[in-house]
Amino acid sequence: MSADARSTDIETLDVPDTFQTTSGRGWFVDLSDISPGAAIGAIVPGFFLTVLFFFDHNVSSLLCQSADMRLKKGSAYHWDFFVVGVIVLITGLLGIPPTNGLIPQAPLHTKSLTQTAKYCVNGQWRERVLHVHEQRASNFFQALIIGIMLSAPFLIVLGLIPRSTLDGLFLYMGVASFPGNQFAERLALLATEPDLRKSEHSFLDKIAWPRLRNFTLFQALCCGIIYAVTFTQGAMIFPLLIASLVILRKTIFPRFLSDEELGSVDTSLHQCAMSHAHEKEEE
């Protein structure tokens, strides 16, 4: 390594040397250290964060347990919400960030446990899930390792990791979530020659290209607006903008697209249809 490389100042993660609160306060938040008016005023931003928090958890849970994953064990969405609620209560009393299911980490974890196979339909190769290794060991050891890393020796090691490495990790997770993502695939099709437009999904067969193109462009516009809002002083309302997309899907889109057309671009409905088709093939 050259002398110039050694002298380069690389920003690393800012972590404490010991496992303690950042400001040196007690572990439990002093609930009396805030006026009643401030507590009532905090309901507004708290509501926005709650919408984002539970929406994010629910979406990640749905993606992990989608129909094409062919899971054997049943879902437990209500139990998940109960556990998340208890965690939010405990972390709130401790004054630390709560935890929940995340995108794309949670779906990528499920995909890493799958066994897949390829099959040919109309000259196109498609991939489907044969089996998911449903267990709790990987989740448990992941949480255990995080807990171990909070001890003093490992905190020092974490402090040596460059921030650019962490940025690269997040970029990788984002790119790794593109395969199989309908929206990302349709965006790519916008720049694809008409004769080369192919997809393992059914939307190309069920929706005329001009309508599919306009629908995709409108989705991209919504995504761009919500992303732009996060750079403004009104960034706090972006969870409500995400939730408003559900209203668009239920009330506005059906006026322009039929149920069959919407079903082909609706991931959950498409996955259910594919799952039922595969079950009939096996029978």
Side-chain angles (χ1 to χ4, degrees), residues 66-68 182 202 206 249-250 258-276:
S66 59
D68 67 338
Q182 269 203 34
S202 61
K206 296 183 178 181
R249 170 63 179 85
K250 293 295 185 180
S258 66
D259 291 340
E260 183 180 11
E261 290 173 331
L262 283 174
S264 66
V265 293
D266 189 309
T267 302
S268 61
L269 294 178
H270 171 75
Q271 290 170 342
C272 288
M274 292 293 292
S275 177
H276 293 321

Side-chain angles (χ1 to χ4, degrees), residues 136-169:
R136 298 179 180 178
S138 57
N139 292 292
F140 172 77
F141 283 107
Q142 179 186 23
L144 179 63
I145 292 174
I146 292 176
I148 292 175
M149 296 302 294
L150 296 177
S151 60
F154 296 103
L155 282 174
I156 298 175
V157 175
L158 289 178
L160 300 177
I161 299 177
R163 291 185 62 90
S164 57
T165 302
L166 198 61
D167 295 337
L169 173 62

